[in-house]
mmCIF file of all heavy atoms in Angstrom:
data_model
loop_
_atom_site.group_PDB
_atom_site.id
_atom_site.type_symbol
_atom_site.label_atom_id
_atom_site.label_comp_id
_atom_site.label_asym_id
_atom_site.label_seq_id
_atom_site.Cartn_x
_atom_site.Cartn_y
_atom_site.Cartn_z
ATOM 1 N N MET Q 99 32.272 1.651 59.529
ATOM 2 C CA MET Q 99 31.035 2.388 59.333
ATOM 3 C C MET Q 99 29.983 1.447 58.759
ATOM 4 O O MET Q 99 30.303 0.563 57.959
ATOM 5 C CB MET Q 99 31.241 3.568 58.394
ATOM 6 C CG MET Q 99 32.176 4.640 58.934
ATOM 7 S SD MET Q 99 31.499 5.479 60.400
ATOM 8 C CE MET Q 99 30.064 6.300 59.700
ATOM 9 N N ASN Q 100 28.764 1.654 59.187
ATOM 10 C CA ASN Q 100 27.684 0.740 58.815
ATOM 11 C C ASN Q 100 26.410 1.478 58.441
ATOM 12 O O ASN Q 100 26.186 2.619 58.844
ATOM 13 C CB ASN Q 100 27.313 -0.174 59.994
ATOM 14 C CG ASN Q 100 28.480 -0.898 60.607
ATOM 15 O OD1 ASN Q 100 28.747 -2.045 60.253
ATOM 16 N ND2 ASN Q 100 29.167 -0.251 61.530
ATOM 17 N N TRP Q 101 25.566 0.773 57.704
ATOM 18 C CA TRP Q 101 24.175 1.144 57.532
ATOM 19 C C TRP Q 101 23.323 0.020 58.101
ATOM 20 O O TRP Q 101 23.555 -1.155 57.801
ATOM 21 C CB TRP Q 101 23.809 1.362 56.069
ATOM 22 C CG TRP Q 101 24.350 2.630 55.488
ATOM 23 C CD1 TRP Q 101 25.446 2.768 54.713
ATOM 24 C CD2 TRP Q 101 23.787 3.941 55.648
ATOM 25 N NE1 TRP Q 101 25.619 4.082 54.361
ATOM 26 C CE2 TRP Q 101 24.623 4.825 54.914
ATOM 27 C CE3 TRP Q 101 22.676 4.454 56.312
ATOM 28 C CZ2 TRP Q 101 24.374 6.202 54.850
ATOM 29 C CZ3 TRP Q 101 22.437 5.822 56.243
ATOM 30 C CH2 TRP Q 101 23.277 6.671 55.525
ATOM 31 N N PHE Q 102 22.366 0.390 58.920
ATOM 32 C CA PHE Q 102 21.377 -0.533 59.452
ATOM 33 C C PHE Q 102 20.008 -0.066 59.010
ATOM 34 O O PHE Q 102 19.841 1.064 58.569
ATOM 35 C CB PHE Q 102 21.425 -0.572 60.985
ATOM 36 C CG PHE Q 102 22.643 -1.234 61.567
ATOM 37 C CD1 PHE Q 102 23.844 -0.552 61.664
ATOM 38 C CD2 PHE Q 102 22.576 -2.540 62.031
ATOM 39 C CE1 PHE Q 102 24.964 -1.155 62.212
ATOM 40 C CE2 PHE Q 102 23.693 -3.163 62.585
ATOM 41 C CZ PHE Q 102 24.892 -2.463 62.672
ATOM 42 N N ARG Q 103 19.022 -0.916 59.166
ATOM 43 C CA ARG Q 103 17.657 -0.506 58.893
ATOM 44 C C ARG Q 103 16.709 -1.247 59.822
ATOM 45 O O ARG Q 103 17.018 -2.330 60.309
ATOM 46 C CB ARG Q 103 17.266 -0.746 57.432
ATOM 47 C CG ARG Q 103 17.157 -2.204 57.028
ATOM 48 C CD ARG Q 103 16.877 -2.310 55.536
ATOM 49 N NE ARG Q 103 16.729 -3.694 55.107
ATOM 50 C CZ ARG Q 103 16.606 -4.076 53.838
ATOM 51 N NH1 ARG Q 103 16.610 -3.157 52.865
ATOM 52 N NH2 ARG Q 103 16.479 -5.360 53.541
ATOM 53 N N GLN Q 104 15.562 -0.641 60.054
ATOM 54 C CA GLN Q 104 14.545 -1.270 60.871
ATOM 55 C C GLN Q 104 13.175 -0.964 60.284
ATOM 56 O O GLN Q 104 12.781 0.192 60.180
ATOM 57 C CB GLN Q 104 14.612 -0.794 62.323
ATOM 58 C CG GLN Q 104 13.667 -1.535 63.245
ATOM 59 C CD GLN Q 104 13.955 -1.272 64.710
ATOM 60 O OE1 GLN Q 104 14.500 -0.232 65.066
ATOM 61 N NE2 GLN Q 104 13.598 -2.221 65.559
ATOM 62 N N ALA Q 105 12.480 -2.009 59.898
ATOM 63 C CA ALA Q 105 11.131 -1.887 59.370
ATOM 64 C C ALA Q 105 10.133 -2.049 60.507
ATOM 65 O O ALA Q 105 10.443 -2.663 61.534
ATOM 66 C CB ALA Q 105 10.897 -2.947 58.297
ATOM 67 N N PRO Q 106 8.922 -1.524 60.350
ATOM 68 C CA PRO Q 106 7.910 -1.657 61.396
ATOM 69 C C PRO Q 106 7.669 -3.113 61.768
ATOM 70 O O PRO Q 106 7.480 -3.960 60.895
ATOM 71 C CB PRO Q 106 6.667 -1.037 60.754
ATOM 72 C CG PRO Q 106 7.216 -0.053 59.777
ATOM 73 C CD PRO Q 106 8.439 -0.723 59.218
ATOM 74 N N GLY Q 107 7.696 -3.403 63.056
ATOM 75 C CA GLY Q 107 7.444 -4.751 63.531
ATOM 76 C C GLY Q 107 8.588 -5.722 63.357
ATOM 77 O O GLY Q 107 8.424 -6.909 63.647
ATOM 78 N N LYS Q 108 9.731 -5.250 62.902
ATOM 79 C CA LYS Q 108 10.873 -6.131 62.695
ATOM 80 C C LYS Q 108 12.083 -5.673 63.498
ATOM 81 O O LYS Q 108 12.165 -4.523 63.928
ATOM 82 C CB LYS Q 108 11.237 -6.192 61.211
ATOM 83 C CG LYS Q 108 10.187 -6.835 60.324
ATOM 84 C CD LYS Q 108 10.692 -6.991 58.908
ATOM 85 C CE LYS Q 108 9.682 -7.701 58.031
ATOM 86 N NZ LYS Q 108 10.195 -7.889 56.647
ATOM 87 N N GLU Q 109 13.019 -6.591 63.686
ATOM 88 C CA GLU Q 109 14.257 -6.278 64.376
ATOM 89 C C GLU Q 109 15.146 -5.429 63.484
ATOM 90 O O GLU Q 109 15.088 -5.507 62.254
ATOM 91 C CB GLU Q 109 14.992 -7.558 64.767
ATOM 92 C CG GLU Q 109 14.257 -8.443 65.754
ATOM 93 C CD GLU Q 109 14.290 -7.899 67.155
ATOM 94 O OE1 GLU Q 109 15.143 -7.043 67.446
ATOM 95 O OE2 GLU Q 109 13.460 -8.324 67.972
ATOM 96 N N ARG Q 110 15.989 -4.625 64.109
ATOM 97 C CA ARG Q 110 16.970 -3.868 63.362
ATOM 98 C C ARG Q 110 17.964 -4.826 62.728
ATOM 99 O O ARG Q 110 18.402 -5.791 63.373
ATOM 100 C CB ARG Q 110 17.700 -2.894 64.295
ATOM 101 C CG ARG Q 110 18.680 -1.973 63.604
ATOM 102 C CD ARG Q 110 19.278 -1.003 64.599
ATOM 103 N NE ARG Q 110 20.030 -1.705 65.627
ATOM 104 C CZ ARG Q 110 20.365 -1.158 66.791
ATOM 105 N NH1 ARG Q 110 19.995 0.082 67.084
ATOM 106 N NH2 ARG Q 110 21.065 -1.871 67.668
ATOM 107 N N GLU Q 111 18.323 -4.594 61.489
ATOM 108 C CA GLU Q 111 19.229 -5.481 60.795
ATOM 109 C C GLU Q 111 20.341 -4.711 60.102
ATOM 110 O O GLU Q 111 20.156 -3.582 59.651
ATOM 111 C CB GLU Q 111 18.480 -6.321 59.762
ATOM 112 C CG GLU Q 111 17.829 -5.513 58.653
ATOM 113 C CD GLU Q 111 17.166 -6.381 57.598
ATOM 114 O OE1 GLU Q 111 17.424 -7.594 57.557
ATOM 115 O OE2 GLU Q 111 16.374 -5.825 56.801
ATOM 116 N N GLY Q 112 21.493 -5.341 60.022
ATOM 117 C CA GLY Q 112 22.605 -4.755 59.308
ATOM 118 C C GLY Q 112 22.355 -4.809 57.812
ATOM 119 O O GLY Q 112 21.848 -5.808 57.297
ATOM 120 N N VAL Q 113 22.713 -3.753 57.120
ATOM 121 C CA VAL Q 113 22.536 -3.663 55.677
ATOM 122 C C VAL Q 113 23.873 -3.746 54.960
ATOM 123 O O VAL Q 113 24.044 -4.517 54.017
ATOM 124 C CB VAL Q 113 21.812 -2.362 55.291
ATOM 125 C CG1 VAL Q 113 21.750 -2.209 53.777
ATOM 126 C CG2 VAL Q 113 20.419 -2.333 55.895
ATOM 127 N N ALA Q 114 24.830 -2.938 55.399
ATOM 128 C CA ALA Q 114 26.130 -2.892 54.757
ATOM 129 C C ALA Q 114 27.160 -2.327 55.723
ATOM 130 O O ALA Q 114 26.821 -1.593 56.649
ATOM 131 C CB ALA Q 114 26.075 -2.043 53.485
ATOM 132 N N ALA Q 115 28.419 -2.657 55.500
ATOM 133 C CA ALA Q 115 29.504 -2.157 56.332
ATOM 134 C C ALA Q 115 30.732 -1.917 55.476
ATOM 135 O O ALA Q 115 30.940 -2.582 54.459
ATOM 136 C CB ALA Q 115 29.824 -3.148 57.452
ATOM 137 N N ILE Q 116 31.548 -0.971 55.907
ATOM 138 C CA ILE Q 116 32.803 -0.688 55.224
ATOM 139 C C ILE Q 116 33.854 -0.353 56.275
ATOM 140 O O ILE Q 116 33.602 0.420 57.196
ATOM 141 C CB ILE Q 116 32.636 0.460 54.195
ATOM 142 C CG1 ILE Q 116 33.928 0.678 53.412
ATOM 143 C CG2 ILE Q 116 32.170 1.746 54.870
ATOM 144 C CD1 ILE Q 116 33.737 1.586 52.200
ATOM 145 N N ASP Q 117 35.040 -0.957 56.167
ATOM 146 C CA ASP Q 117 36.077 -0.706 57.149
ATOM 147 C C ASP Q 117 37.040 0.373 56.673
ATOM 148 O O ASP Q 117 36.876 0.959 55.606
ATOM 149 C CB ASP Q 117 36.798 -2.005 57.541
ATOM 150 C CG ASP Q 117 37.652 -2.594 56.422
ATOM 151 O OD1 ASP Q 117 37.922 -1.910 55.415
ATOM 152 O OD2 ASP Q 117 38.061 -3.771 56.564
ATOM 153 N N SER Q 118 38.060 0.628 57.478
ATOM 154 C CA SER Q 118 38.991 1.713 57.181
ATOM 155 C C SER Q 118 39.812 1.474 55.919
ATOM 156 O O SER Q 118 40.355 2.427 55.359
ATOM 157 C CB SER Q 118 39.927 1.943 58.367
ATOM 158 O OG SER Q 118 40.677 0.774 58.662
ATOM 159 N N ASP Q 119 39.903 0.232 55.480
ATOM 160 C CA ASP Q 119 40.626 -0.098 54.259
ATOM 161 C C ASP Q 119 39.717 -0.149 53.036
ATOM 162 O O ASP Q 119 40.181 -0.451 51.938
ATOM 163 C CB ASP Q 119 41.344 -1.432 54.409
ATOM 164 C CG ASP Q 119 42.462 -1.381 55.431
ATOM 165 O OD1 ASP Q 119 43.187 -0.368 55.470
ATOM 166 O OD2 ASP Q 119 42.618 -2.355 56.191
ATOM 167 N N GLY Q 120 38.439 0.123 53.235
ATOM 168 C CA GLY Q 120 37.504 0.125 52.130
ATOM 169 C C GLY Q 120 36.863 -1.211 51.824
ATOM 170 O O GLY Q 120 36.128 -1.327 50.837
ATOM 171 N N ARG Q 121 37.121 -2.211 52.639
ATOM 172 C CA ARG Q 121 36.489 -3.515 52.433
ATOM 173 C C ARG Q 121 35.027 -3.444 52.844
ATOM 174 O O ARG Q 121 34.690 -2.841 53.854
ATOM 175 C CB ARG Q 121 37.221 -4.598 53.222
ATOM 176 C CG ARG Q 121 38.615 -4.903 52.669
ATOM 177 C CD ARG Q 121 39.251 -6.070 53.412
ATOM 178 N NE ARG Q 121 39.706 -5.668 54.733
ATOM 179 C CZ ARG Q 121 40.942 -5.291 55.009
ATOM 180 N NH1 ARG Q 121 41.866 -5.276 54.050
ATOM 181 N NH2 ARG Q 121 41.269 -4.936 56.241
ATOM 182 N N THR Q 122 34.171 -4.079 52.075
ATOM 183 C CA THR Q 122 32.736 -3.972 52.285
ATOM 184 C C THR Q 122 32.076 -5.318 52.533
ATOM 185 O O THR Q 122 32.582 -6.363 52.116
ATOM 186 C CB THR Q 122 32.061 -3.314 51.076
ATOM 187 O OG1 THR Q 122 32.305 -4.101 49.902
ATOM 188 C CG2 THR Q 122 32.609 -1.912 50.843
ATOM 189 N N SER Q 123 30.939 -5.270 53.208
ATOM 190 C CA SER Q 123 30.111 -6.443 53.446
ATOM 191 C C SER Q 123 28.658 -6.027 53.295
ATOM 192 O O SER Q 123 28.300 -4.884 53.601
ATOM 193 C CB SER Q 123 30.343 -7.018 54.845
ATOM 194 O OG SER Q 123 31.669 -7.487 55.001
ATOM 195 N N TYR Q 124 27.820 -6.955 52.844
ATOM 196 C CA TYR Q 124 26.416 -6.665 52.614
ATOM 197 C C TYR Q 124 25.528 -7.783 53.110
ATOM 198 O O TYR Q 124 25.916 -8.956 53.100
ATOM 199 C CB TYR Q 124 26.136 -6.476 51.118
ATOM 200 C CG TYR Q 124 26.863 -5.321 50.487
ATOM 201 C CD1 TYR Q 124 28.108 -5.509 49.900
ATOM 202 C CD2 TYR Q 124 26.303 -4.049 50.474
ATOM 203 C CE1 TYR Q 124 28.789 -4.452 49.319
ATOM 204 C CE2 TYR Q 124 26.976 -2.986 49.889
ATOM 205 C CZ TYR Q 124 28.218 -3.189 49.311
ATOM 206 O OH TYR Q 124 28.878 -2.132 48.734
ATOM 207 N N ALA Q 125 24.328 -7.407 53.510
ATOM 208 C CA ALA Q 125 23.313 -8.404 53.791
ATOM 209 C C ALA Q 125 22.931 -9.079 52.481
ATOM 210 O O ALA Q 125 22.921 -8.443 51.422
ATOM 211 C CB ALA Q 125 22.089 -7.750 54.421
ATOM 212 N N ASP Q 126 22.612 -10.359 52.547
ATOM 213 C CA ASP Q 126 22.253 -11.093 51.333
ATOM 214 C C ASP Q 126 21.080 -10.448 50.602
ATOM 215 O O ASP Q 126 21.017 -10.474 49.371
ATOM 216 C CB ASP Q 126 21.915 -12.539 51.675
ATOM 217 C CG ASP Q 126 23.129 -13.359 52.058
ATOM 218 O OD1 ASP Q 126 24.257 -12.945 51.734
ATOM 219 O OD2 ASP Q 126 22.949 -14.424 52.680
ATOM 220 N N SER Q 127 20.173 -9.861 51.344
ATOM 221 C CA SER Q 127 18.971 -9.291 50.753
ATOM 222 C C SER Q 127 19.228 -8.063 49.884
ATOM 223 O O SER Q 127 18.371 -7.682 49.085
ATOM 224 C CB SER Q 127 17.968 -8.937 51.849
ATOM 225 O OG SER Q 127 18.518 -7.999 52.754
ATOM 226 N N VAL Q 128 20.404 -7.439 50.029
ATOM 227 C CA VAL Q 128 20.683 -6.227 49.265
ATOM 228 C C VAL Q 128 21.864 -6.368 48.326
ATOM 229 O O VAL Q 128 22.164 -5.430 47.568
ATOM 230 C CB VAL Q 128 20.909 -5.012 50.190
ATOM 231 C CG1 VAL Q 128 19.741 -4.847 51.148
ATOM 232 C CG2 VAL Q 128 22.225 -5.150 50.952
#
């Protein structure tokens, strides 16, 4: 499962992700 975001005039970017085991990943900006 993921969260993405898209700001006006910018490409959609990944924000955070979590897998079935609860492991998480984040964009450096957040």
